[in-house]
Amino acid sequence: LHYPLRRQRQMCIRDRLSAALGAIVVGELLRGACGAMLDVACLRKLGPEHRLEYGRVRLWISLMWGLGASMIGVVHPYPLSIIFLLSPVFSVALLMAYHLTLSSSSPVIQHASGPASGVHRQEDIARRPSYAARLQNFVLQSDWRVAELTLVFLLLGSARRSFETFVYLLLADLGGRTQLMGLATLIQVISELPAYFYFQHISKHMGSRGVLYLSASCYLVRAMWYANVKSAWGILLVEPLHGITFALLLSSVVTITADASPEGLQGTAQGVLARGVFDGAGGILGSAVGGILYDKSPAILFHSVAVLVLTACMIMGASDVVLATRGGSKSALLRQQL
C-alpha cells in the first residue's frame, strides 16, 4: 500500500518540477531578449560620447531589484510559489523605470535614433534585414577581438552564475536562514550603487580591460573565501566585492560589446555577446556544471571557479602581449582597451 502512494507522490513532485522548469526557461528567454533590447536602447539614447554613463542608468534598476529581493528574503512568502506571481510585478516596474529614465530631458541622455518621422521609421524597419542575415553579417565582419571576448565572457559569465546560484545554497548548508540571505542580497545591492555610479570614472582611469582584470581579481578573492568559509555569517564579509564582480563587470561587458560590434550591428552584438554568451551560455555552464561540482563539494566548485577566472586572465594577458609585440604601439593598445 505504501509503495503506490510513494510512487504517486514522486510523480506529482516530478510534474511540479517540470512545470516550474518550463516556466523558468520561458522566463529566462524573455528576460534575456528584453535585457538586450533595453541595453541597446539605453546606449543609443546616451550616444557614443556618453556610453560610460550606462552605469548610472543601470543603478536605478539595481536599486529596485535589490529592495524587492531583500523584502522577499525577509518576508519569506508562503507558499513559495507566490514569487512567480510577484515576478511580473517587478518586471513591469523595471520596464517603467527604464522608460522614465530614457524619457528624461537631461542633456546627458541624448536621442540618437533615426529620423523623427514615424513613417520613415516604419520604412526603415521594413527594409531592415532579417535576424539571420544580421547574425551572418556579425560573424563575417567580426575581428579577432570578438573571438577573444567570446571566450573571456563565457568564462566570466560561468563564474558569475556560479556565485549567483550556489552562494545562497552554501549559506543554507552552513545554517543561514532566509533573513540572512536577504541581508546578503541587501549588502550586494548597496555595493552595486557606488560601482554603477562611478563606473565612468573608473573605466576612464583603468580602461575597459583594466575593469575586467579588477573584476577577475575580486572573483578570485571571493571564490577562495567561499571555498574555505566555515560559517554562514562569514560569507557576508566578502559580499561587498559583489559591486565589482557584478556591477562593474556587467557595465564593462555592455560597453565593450558596443565598442567591438561592427557598424550597424550593435543590437545583434549585445544579443550574441552580452546576453547570449556572457549571460546565456555562461549561465548554463555555471549552473549545470556547477551543480555537479557542488554535489561533490562546495570547495571543489569554488576552486574550479578560481581556475576559470585565471584562465580568462591568461587569455586577456596573452592577447595584450600579442597586440603589444606585433607592432602594436602604446596608442593601439589604448584604443583596444577603450
Side-chain angles (χ1 to χ4, degrees):
L1 292 177
H2 291 291
Y3 177 77
L5 291 176
R6 184 163 58 250
R7 180 70 174 174
Q8 184 178 5
R9 189 180 299 112
Q10 290 176 351
M11 292 179 63
C12 182
I13 294 175
R14 190 181 300 113
D15 292 341
R16 290 182 179 180
L17 289 176
S18 299
L21 180 61
I24 292 172
V25 169
V26 173
E28 286 296 303
L29 290 174
L30 294 175
R31 184 182 68 88
C34 183
M37 291 186 290
L38 290 174
D39 287 337
V40 172
C42 179
L43 291 172
R44 286 181 177 176
K45 281 285 187 176
L46 293 173
E49 63 275 15
H50 294 293
R51 74 190 191 289
L52 295 182
E53 290 283 347
Y54 168 84
R56 297 192 179 186
V57 178
R58 185 63 171 74
L59 180 150
W60 298 102
I61 309 301
S62 175
L63 181 61
M64 289 174 53
W65 180 89
L67 292 176
S70 301
M71 290 171 56
I72 290 177
V74 174
V75 175
H76 191 195
Y78 183 84
L80 200 60
S81 58
I82 195 175
I83 294 179
F84 283 98
L85 300 178
L86 294 176
S87 295
V89 177
F90 287 110
S91 298
V92 171
L94 183 145
L95 292 173
M96 291 178 61
Y98 250 109
H99 171 72
L100 293 175
T101 303
L102 297 178
S103 300
S104 171
S105 59
S106 171
V108 176
I109 300 180
Q110 300 177 0
H111 182 75
S113 58
S117 172
V119 176
H120 291 173
R121 284 199 295 267
Q122 291 179 0
E123 294 177 353
D124 292 338
I125 292 175
R127 292 194 301 265
R128 186 175 301 171
S130 65
Y131 178 76
R134 295 198 304 272
L135 184 60
Q136 182 180 10
N137 291 334
F138 171 75
V139 174
L140 294 177
Q141 297 179 31
S142 298
D143 55 15
W144 66 271
R145 293 188 305 163
V146 174
E148 184 226 24
L149 290 176
T150 300
L151 292 175
V152 172
F153 287 175
L154 177 64
L155 296 174
L156 294 180
S158 301
R160 170 200 165 192
R161 186 55 61 89
S162 297
F163 282 178
E164 290 181 353
T165 303
F166 298 106
V167 168
Y168 289 97
L169 288 180
L170 182 61
L171 264 170
D173 290 343
L174 293 175
R177 304 179 63 182
T178 56
Q179 290 81 359
L180 187 60
M181 296 179 186
L183 179 59
T185 302
L186 182 61
I187 294 174
Q188 292 176 0
V189 173
I190 292 175
S191 70
E192 289 179 16
L193 301 184
Y196 278 130
F197 188 82
Y198 292 107
F199 168 71
Q200 179 182 14
H201 303 288
I202 296 173
S203 186
K204 285 183 177 180
H205 179 72
M206 301 183 64
S208 299
R209 303 285 282 192
V211 173
L212 291 182
Y213 282 120
L214 175 62
S215 299
S217 300
C218 292
Y219 267 126
L220 287 174
V221 173
R222 291 183 69 184
M224 298 307 297
W225 183 267
Y226 294 144
N228 297 280
V229 70
K230 301 300 181 183
S231 68
W233 285 95
I235 292 178
L236 301 183
L237 296 178
V238 293
E239 293 311 285
L241 294 178
H242 174 83
I244 299 176
T245 58
F246 177 78
L248 284 185
L249 178 61
L250 178 61
S251 300
S252 184
V253 166
V254 171
T255 54
I256 288 176
T257 300
D259 293 338
S261 62
E263 184 68 25
L265 296 173
Q266 188 180 83
T268 304
Q270 292 293 339
V272 173
L273 292 178
R275 297 295 171 175
V277 175
F278 180 73
D279 212 12
I284 293 173
L285 180 62
S287 298
V289 179
I292 297 174
L293 297 176
Y294 189 90
D295 285 340
K296 296 180 180 298
S297 170
I300 293 177
L301 167 63
F302 293 114
H303 281 133
S304 300
V305 170
V307 172
L308 291 179
V309 174
L310 283 174
T311 303
C313 290
M314 292 174 61
I315 293 174
M316 290 190 294
S319 299
D320 293 340
V321 170
V322 169
L323 183 65
T325 55
R326 285 187 176 179
S329 62
K330 186 175 180 181
S331 61
L333 181 60
L334 288 175
R335 284 197 303 270
Q336 194 256 357
Q337 289 179 344
L338 295 174

